[in-house]
């Protein structure tokens, strides 16, 4: 290994000498001076340096000894592994007995329910999009109406940096309670909105910014408490978005049909306030052992691993919202089916996403999060280009929705798992907030571009180019994640 370098992060790829497993790349803590220092030996997972030299490994010893004497190739080419387990020493409370216990899983359950009220609501926005396009604003361009959902997704992720910074300064329980109240107020105000620009401000900007706090805290705080089955924990948390997208879409459709669109907003707003405030006491973040001297630390942008993850996230998460937004109107306008089938397609995506997240979590724990990330993104691309695009019928749309729900809905959790594996969890809220910032730009650009393609090239009826556009972006994401995987460890069958 090389010594610590000022101004950049060091990659410590880790693979076994036989190539059968690659348990952990080192976790690097980001310090205020811009340097990256690997966690010490009491805070490191099994680290095995992955040699790109076709099975010839460097013998790794204690990191402090390596920094003094440098790397020396072992004549026998055997790997001396340091079997250390990652513990609570990342945090100032040391090893908390509640780690991996019922308390930790209660926090994960709270994160799951918060996911229903945040990401789940955005996943069900296609029901509102369909209502606005077909009923409330039929003479308004769909690209204009799409700004409501686009801004909502943008704010949900753009405020991730603010969540990361404020979570280091304030009690995360208070942040969650205040933001839940603001979410509810935003939807109640949206119920009185009668123009698109008003809905952009309330349902888009105000709700999206407020929802960012319980969403990001809900998915990152459980990682402070669960370490043995992190992939499964993230699957449980992100199941909330699938379950939430399912019941929110059904509830929204039923409320619109029976009470009208304004009351659907009011009912959801009251649910957000009550449930969000009730769950806030469980969002308990642990404080890192070493508090950063600077709250806004951008040194991670000099790390190639982070840059590849950010680029892949941009390409993967931009088109991630396209099926939710366009499939309902595609069913109504192209296939000439009723609006109920459009909401059913959104439900199919969300229901299949529940099983997909569970499968992704279990497989990530067994085979490695980055390996599964590459496979899942590739399958998501196939759901668009290989299933939805070639066949213009109900069965193809349902199949595409199911496959995309299994794969595409799980991508964001798998990216977070990869971040936690590479960088550790003590500052995962802040680092993931930077990644979520790329989502915000991607969701705005891709959804608006897809809607513009539909209005101009497709004349409001031909969905070919939006589908091709989103599918190719997913292909690009798969290639970027594959490049990250191979650069971390070139052995194909290594666990990484």
């Amino acid at each position: 290994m090389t010594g610590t370098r000022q101004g950049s992060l060091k990659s410590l790829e880790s693979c076994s000498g036989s190539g059968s497993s690659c348990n952990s790349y080192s976790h690097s803590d980001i310090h205020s001076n811009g340097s990256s220092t690997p966690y010490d030996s009491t805070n490191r997972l099994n680290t095995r340096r992955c040699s790109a030299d076709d099975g010839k490994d460097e013998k790794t010893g204690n990191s402090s000894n390596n920094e003094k004497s440098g790397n020396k190739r072992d004549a026998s080419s055997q790997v001396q592994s340091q079997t250390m387990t990652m513990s609570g020493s990342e945090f100032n409370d040391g090893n908390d007995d509640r780690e991996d216990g019922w308390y930790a899983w209660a926090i994960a359950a709270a994160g799951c329910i918060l996911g229903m009220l945040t990401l789940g609501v955005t996943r069900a926005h296609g029901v509102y999009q369909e209502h606005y396009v077909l009923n409330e604003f039929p003479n308004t361009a769909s690209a204009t109406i799409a700004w409501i959902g686009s801004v909502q997704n943008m704010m949900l992720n753009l405020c991730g940096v603010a969540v990361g910074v404020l979570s280091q300064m304030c009690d995360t329980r208070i942040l969650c309670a205040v933001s839940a109240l603001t979410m509810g107020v935003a939807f109640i105000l949206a119920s009185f909105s009668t123009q698109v620009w008003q809905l952009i401000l309330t349902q888009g900007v105000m709700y999206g910014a407020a929802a960012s706090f319980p969403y990001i805290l809900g998915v990152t705080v459980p990682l402070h408490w669960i370490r043995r089955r992190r992939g499964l924990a993230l699957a449980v948390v992100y199941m909330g978005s699938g379950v939430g997208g399912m019941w929110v879409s059904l509830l929204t459709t039923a409320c619109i049909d029976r009470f009208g669109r304004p009351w659907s907003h009011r009912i959801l707003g009251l649910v957000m306030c009550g449930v969000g405030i009730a769950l806030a006491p469980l969002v308990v973040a642990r404080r890192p052992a070493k508090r950063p001297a600077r709250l806004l630390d951008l040194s991670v942008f000099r790390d190639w691993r982070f840059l590849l993850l950010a680029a892949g996230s941009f390409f993967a998460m931009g088109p991630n919202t396209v099926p939710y937004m366009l499939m309902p109107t595609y069913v109504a306008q192209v296939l000439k089916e009723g609006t109920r089938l459009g909401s059913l397609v959104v439900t199919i995506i969300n229901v299949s996403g529940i099983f997909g997240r569970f499968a992704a979590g279990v497989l990530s724990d067994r085979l490695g999060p980055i390996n599964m990330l590459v496979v899942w993104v590739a399958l998501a691309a196939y759901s668009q280009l290989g299933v939805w695009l070639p066949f213009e019928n109900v069965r193809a749309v349902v199949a595409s929705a199911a496959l995309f729900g299994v794969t595409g809905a799980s991508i964001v959790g798998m990216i977070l798992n990869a971040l936690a594996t590479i960088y550790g969890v003590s500052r995962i809220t802040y680092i993931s907030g930077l990644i979520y910032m790329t989502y915000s730009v991607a969701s705005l650009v891709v959804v608006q571009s897809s809607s513009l393609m539909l209005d101009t090239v497709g004349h409001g009826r031909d969905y070919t180019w939006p589908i091709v556009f989103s599918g190719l972006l997913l292909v690009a994401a798969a290639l970027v994640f594959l490049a990250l995987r191979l650069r971390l460890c070139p052995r194909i069958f290594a666990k990484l």
Side-chain angles (χ1 to χ4, degrees):
M1 298 184 221
T2 60
T4 302
R5 295 180 301 174
Q6 288 284 344
S8 65
L9 290 169
K10 179 170 62 177
S11 167
L12 297 176
E13 302 88 4
S14 35
C15 295
S16 70
S18 63
S20 60
S21 65
C22 181
N23 290 327
S24 171
Y25 4 111
S26 75
H27 304 287
S28 299
D29 204 4
I30 302 170
H31 296 280
S32 59
N33 63 359
S35 67
S36 168
T37 305
Y39 286 22
D40 59 30
S41 60
T42 63
N43 193 28
R44 191 181 306 163
L45 284 168
N46 303 332
T47 55
R48 297 174 177 181
R49 183 169 181 82
C50 176
S51 172
D53 195 18
D54 193 23
K56 295 182 180 180
D57 298 287
E58 297 177 12
K59 183 175 181 181
T60 59
N62 185 278
S63 59
S64 61
N65 293 334
N66 282 341
E67 290 176 357
K68 293 178 181 179
S69 61
N71 282 326
K72 295 182 179 180
R73 181 169 300 278
D74 180 48
S76 62
S77 297
Q78 295 178 346
V79 177
Q80 179 185 358
S81 63
Q82 297 173 322
T83 55
M84 306 294 177
T85 57
M86 186 175 175
S87 67
S89 58
E90 283 188 75
F91 302 100
N92 60 10
D93 57 1
N95 291 316
D96 196 306
D97 293 336
R98 295 173 295 178
E99 282 185 6
D100 293 311
W102 68 266
Y103 181 77
W105 286 99
I107 294 175
C112 175
I113 299 174
L114 290 173
M116 298 181 189
L117 304 178
T118 53
L119 193 59
V121 170
T122 64
R123 291 293 184 255
H125 182 75
V127 176
Y128 280 115
Q129 174 81 4
E130 180 185 22
H131 174 78
Y132 294 146
V133 171
L134 300 180
N135 300 310
E136 197 162 344
F137 307 108
N139 299 321
T140 304
S142 59
T144 302
I145 297 173
W147 276 102
I148 303 171
S150 298
V151 170
Q152 186 182 87
N153 276 285
M154 181 189 72
M155 297 304 297
L156 181 71
N157 297 299
L158 182 63
C159 294
V161 177
V163 178
V165 172
L166 290 176
S167 66
Q168 299 174 88
M169 301 169 55
C170 308
D171 191 325
T172 52
R173 294 167 292 186
I174 296 175
L175 290 176
C176 186
V178 172
S179 58
L181 176 63
T182 308
M183 287 162 50
V185 171
F187 257 58
I188 292 172
L189 290 176
S191 70
F192 298 101
S193 302
T194 57
Q195 299 182 42
V196 173
W197 68 268
Q198 294 171 340
L199 289 166
I200 291 174
L201 292 178
T202 54
Q203 192 174 357
V205 176
M206 186 175 179
Y207 168 79
S212 181
F213 285 81
Y215 166 48
I216 295 178
L217 291 174
V219 299
T220 56
V221 169
L223 298 180
H224 293 187
W225 298 94
I226 298 173
R227 55 189 174 90
R228 284 201 293 263
R229 295 194 177 273
R230 184 174 294 156
L232 181 60
L234 283 170
V236 169
V237 170
Y238 274 103
M239 277 182 191
S241 65
V243 175
M246 178 181 64
W247 69 258
V248 170
S249 62
L250 294 175
L251 176 64
T252 301
T253 302
C255 289
I256 290 175
D257 291 343
R258 185 167 183 178
F259 306 112
R261 193 268 302 172
W263 270 105
S264 72
H265 273 126
R266 291 165 195 157
I267 292 171
L268 278 176
L270 292 174
V271 171
M272 291 173 190
C273 287
V275 177
I277 292 174
L279 291 174
L282 283 173
V283 186
V284 183
R286 301 169 73 183
R287 298 300 175 187
K290 296 180 179 179
R291 295 200 63 177
R294 289 200 303 255
L295 292 175
L296 186 62
D297 184 2
L298 301 180
S299 62
V300 70
F301 283 99
R302 294 192 290 270
D303 179 17
W304 62 266
R305 297 169 301 175
F306 178 85
L307 294 178
L308 285 177
L309 273 170
S313 300
F314 179 91
F315 292 130
M317 295 310 298
N320 196 263
T321 57
V322 170
Y324 295 95
M325 300 287 290
L326 297 186
M327 275 190 174
T329 54
Y330 175 87
V331 168
Q333 293 179 333
V334 177
L335 302 183
K336 306 299 182 183
E337 299 289 340
T339 56
R340 287 191 177 275
L341 181 58
S343 62
L344 180 61
V345 168
V346 176
T347 303
I348 290 172
I349 296 176
N350 289 307
V351 171
S352 59
I354 297 172
F355 300 100
R357 290 179 179 92
F358 179 79
V362 173
L363 291 174
S364 293
D365 286 337
R366 294 179 65 88
L367 303 177
I370 299 180
N371 289 335
M372 294 311 303
L373 181 60
V374 175
V375 174
W376 246 233
V377 174
L379 289 174
Y382 177 74
S383 73
Q384 305 294 290
L385 300 177
V387 182
W388 187 9
L389 179 64
F391 308 105
E392 193 174 297
N393 55 62
V394 174
R395 286 181 296 179
V397 172
V398 170
S400 175
L403 180 57
F404 182 81
V406 170
T407 56
S410 310
I411 293 174
V412 61
M414 301 175 81
I415 293 172
L416 187 60
N417 195 1
L419 278 173
T421 309
I422 294 175
Y423 292 106
V425 296
S426 64
R427 298 190 68 198
I428 188 64
T429 303
Y430 173 75
I431 299 174
S432 63
L434 297 176
I435 289 289
Y436 285 124
M437 187 171 61
T438 67
Y439 297 172
S440 65
V441 179
S443 62
L444 179 65
V445 171
V446 174
V447 171
Q448 285 304 121
S449 299
S450 299
S451 298
L452 187 61
M453 290 177 187
L454 179 61
D455 287 337
T456 55
V457 182
H459 304 289
R461 300 286 177 178
D462 187 356
Y463 285 70
T464 300
W465 284 109
I467 298 172
V468 170
F469 179 56
S470 63
L472 290 179
L473 286 175
L474 287 167
V475 171
L479 293 175
V480 172
F481 289 135
L482 179 61
L484 171 67
R485 164 64 178 81
L486 293 177
R487 184 167 180 186
L488 284 172
C489 183
R491 298 198 180 100
I492 297 176
F493 297 106
K495 178 182 177 181
L496 187 61

